Amino acid sequence: MRRLFGTNGIRGVVNETLTPQFTLKVAEAVGTFFDGGEILLGYDGRISSPALASAAASGLASTGCTVYLAGMAPTPAIQYAMKRHGLDGGIIITASHNPPEYNGIKVLGNDGVEISREQEIKIEEIFFEERQKRVEWNRIGEIRKLSGIIEEYIEAVKMHVNVEEIRKKHFRVVVDPGNGVGSLAAPQLLRELGCKVFTINANVDGTFPGRPSEPKPENLGDLAAVVKAVNADFGVAYDGDADRAIFVDENGTIHWGDKTFALIEKEFLKQNPGEVIVTPVSSSSLIKDIAKVYNGEVVWTKVGSVDVSHKMKEINAKLGGEENGGVFYGPHQPVRDGAMTTALILDILAKTSRKLSELLNELPTCFIEKDKVECPDDLKEKVLKALYEELEKENLKFDTIDGAKIWFEDSSILVRPSGTEPIFRLYAEAKNRDRTLELIRKYKEKLGKIITKIVQEVGN
Ligand code: MG
């Protein structure tokens, strides 16, 4: 089946696969799907975003939808505006953390959450069967401006933390939005929370001159250095559309997202024992271990933020998170939200009166190792089936939510077929590094043998 949507909406290189013409056609299909509703349209800080958004606006209006232009804003701010203004659907032009030549199209439902896989398929059918609805000339939708969504979003985030307590602490915070749209909300939010704010890469620039837009440890050296130089309480970096946040403690140590999520989880469960935590199977046992100690329950999902959001909605969960720095705070909205995550960390620092390094370093230690094995796309299903059979033969405990998550006493490994590349991804985690390396080595070898065997069978 032909598909438009990948793991995270529609993505492509601008003016190669992702042209204004293509965007217009997709928007016509989206408008047809929402059947003349009120649709919000926003975009990130990429060079191509305003042009693609204009094409999307035209496409939506041609199907009779009323279009509300939210302008340039962080993805979570646009998502929040959906709910706030009671609109029927939304489109965001963004490629999140991808390199600058990319852009993408995200489609939102009326609660601001990205639409489900089933709804994506409906839009794809309209697109490929060319069933785009074109209304009569006098029914073409209006294009209106919706201003002030970032201010509304900042106010909403503040409602979920203890503003007075945070303000009393006069925290010193360094913000690195990586020249993305995080520049438009986070510094302002922090100032309103009484912080002394220092910024780097905080001018929106679609060429991402400061650092690559993905907030990985190897890209955050400048942030770590500035945190130390200005004696800050912590530093925070966002990805291009500011739905993910990665933190640097007061010593300049960069912490991966599973640590900060585990800290938020711990403090949340202390206040709300018995609650459910939603996380993809790619997360480490840290999340499970914290839940065990603090009386929570973990519900695992497939890898992908949309899967986490939809599971949270389905079971009415209040907290979700990913190892890449995505935290979903349900009482605000069940989507990844970089500014909300930052406010939650401030809330924890204010409440505990402790340093971020202390809070993070006292969490159980967990080592993560990732790797990949090449495998042709058309063989992935067969390979996975053969792997399941072997695991059964070996009497191992494993889940099949997304690939195979194999559980051991002190560690686990996830082996899953990538949705976007001809590879299997491996994520191992354990209490010590040697064990993670051993798991990776063992399962790379096992997977390699299975693939070789199946390639030979298919060849014969
Ligand atoms: Mg993002």
Side-chain angles (χ1 to χ4, degrees):
M1 207 192 103
R2 282 185 291 176
R3 297 235 40 190
L4 290 171
F5 292 87
T7 319
N8 260 305
I10 299 168
R11 294 272 167 95
V13 173
V14 174
N15 273 356
E16 285 182 17
T17 54
L18 192 62
T19 61
Q21 207 170 20
F22 171 81
T23 307
L24 187 136
K25 259 187 89 177
V26 170
E28 286 175 340
V30 173
T32 305
F33 173 79
F34 284 110
D35 196 22
E38 297 189 306
I39 309 297
L40 185 68
L41 177 63
Y43 54 85
D44 71 10
R46 287 165 191 272
I47 290 172
S48 57
S49 292
L52 296 179
S54 297
S58 303
L60 288 168
S62 74
T63 65
C65 289
T66 307
V67 184
Y68 289 85
L69 302 177
M72 190 193 288
T75 287
I78 299 167
Q79 292 177 297
Y80 177 73
M82 290 288 315
K83 197 166 72 169
R84 173 83 162 68
H85 294 275
L87 303 172
D88 300 307
I91 288 184
I92 309 179
I93 304 294
T94 177
S96 183
H97 60 274
N98 286 156
E101 63 273 23
Y102 281 80
N103 214 329
I105 305 168
K106 274 187 196 214
V107 182
L108 311 177
N110 62 5
D111 51 3
V113 176
E114 281 177 71
I115 55 168
S116 66
R117 300 283 175 222
E118 294 75 36
Q119 289 170 317
E120 286 177 355
I121 289 168
K122 288 208 173 111
I123 291 172
E124 286 167 341
E125 283 169 359
I126 298 168
F127 182 91
F128 290 117
E129 293 166 15
E130 303 204 12
R131 286 193 283 110
Q132 287 94 334
K133 174 171 123 188
R134 293 203 173 87
V135 295
E136 282 181 54
W137 66 270
N138 56 356
R139 306 291 299 277
I140 290 203
E142 273 183 51
I143 299 184
R144 300 177 185 159
K145 219 175 149 93
L146 184 66
S147 46
I149 71 154
I150 294 176
E151 291 75 10
E152 289 167 357
Y153 165 68
I154 290 173
E155 283 310 310
V157 168
K158 280 159 55 186
M159 277 166 46
H160 298 283
V161 293
N162 193 333
V163 177
E164 285 317 303
E165 288 304 310
I166 296 172
R167 281 180 145 277
K168 276 188 210 158
K169 301 280 182 176
H170 305 289
F171 289 115
R172 295 166 71 82
V173 184
V174 187
V175 182
D176 174 5
N179 303 107
V181 281
S183 317
L184 305 175
Q188 180 64 24
L189 167 71
L190 291 165
R191 279 183 202 112
E192 291 183 21
L193 289 172
C195 300
K196 168 79 181 157
V197 181
F198 303 85
T199 59
I200 58 170
N201 308 318
N203 55 318
V204 177
D205 185 330
T207 65
F208 301 133
R211 62 162 167 87
S213 157
E214 168 121 57
K216 285 184 182 172
E218 59 265 38
N219 299 335
L220 304 181
D222 288 350
L223 174 61
V226 176
V227 164
K228 286 184 77 178
V230 303
N231 229 336
D233 292 288
F234 67 90
V236 59
Y238 302 106
D239 72 326
D241 65 338
D243 57 354
R244 293 200 271 135
I246 293 290
F247 292 82
V248 175
D249 70 26
E250 77 284 0
N251 301 322
T253 307
I254 301 161
H255 295 269
W256 194 228
D258 63 328
K259 275 267 161 122
T260 38
F261 174 45
L263 174 61
I264 292 170
E265 178 195 13
K266 177 178 161 180
E267 296 301 322
F268 172 79
L269 285 175
K270 277 190 193 167
Q271 303 293 320
N272 306 275
E275 283 289 342
V276 174
I277 310 298
V278 179
T279 197
V281 281
S282 51
S283 290
S284 69
S285 316
L286 190 52
I287 307 307
K288 196 175 63 152
D289 295 347
I290 298 280
K292 210 171 176 182
V293 176
Y294 294 94
N295 205 0
E297 188 200 331
V298 177
V299 170
W300 303 94
T301 70
K302 278 179 183 284
V303 176
S305 65
V306 184
D307 294 285
V308 176
S309 290
H310 283 273
K311 181 54 85 178
M312 285 181 72
K313 270 171 52 178
E314 186 193 318
I315 62 174
N316 211 0
K318 294 197 184 77
L319 186 65
E322 300 171 312
E323 39 88 42
N324 60 15
V327 174
F328 308 60
Y329 190 59
H332 170 52
Q333 52 179 354
V335 300
R336 299 196 285 213
D337 190 321
M340 186 70 241
T341 308
T342 313
L344 290 172
I345 291 290
L346 281 168
D347 205 40
I348 292 169
L349 293 180
K351 192 171 64 193
T352 59
S353 293
R354 297 185 62 201
K355 301 274 184 208
L356 185 59
S357 67
E358 292 170 15
L359 292 166
L360 291 173
N361 292 337
E362 71 188 16
L363 293 168
T365 339
C366 184
F367 290 84
I368 301 175
E369 205 63 50
K370 299 182 194 181
D371 214 324
K372 57 191 172 189
V373 173
E374 282 179 25
C375 174
D377 281 324
D378 54 337
L379 297 184
K380 281 175 177 170
E381 216 169 296
K382 275 202 175 99
V383 170
L384 198 56
K385 209 174 143 241
L387 177 66
Y388 289 163
E389 281 167 14
E390 280 208 16
L391 297 174
E392 258 160 35
K393 250 188 255 163
E394 290 175 46
N395 249 329
L396 291 169
K397 193 177 152 222
F398 67 100
D399 285 327
T400 57
I401 296 165
D402 199 351
K405 172 99 171 180
I406 309 143
W407 296 99
F408 303 94
E409 194 65 36
D410 60 339
S411 53
S412 78
I413 183 163
L414 171 69
V415 181
R416 68 176 276 269
S418 162
T420 48
E421 291 170 69
I423 54 169
F424 270 85
R425 292 188 190 282
L426 290 87
Y427 309 69
E429 53 98 12
K431 306 277 179 247
N432 66 71
R433 189 143 188 276
D434 289 348
R435 175 67 177 150
T436 58
L437 294 173
E438 183 198 329
L439 279 172
I440 289 279
R441 188 186 47 73
K442 198 169 150 195
Y443 279 86
K444 260 182 102 167
E445 195 183 305
K446 192 189 278 293
L447 205 58
K449 274 189 190 155
I450 294 175
I451 294 169
T452 313
K453 192 164 158 242
I454 287 177
V455 167
Q456 279 168 355
E457 280 172 10
V458 172
N460 288 336

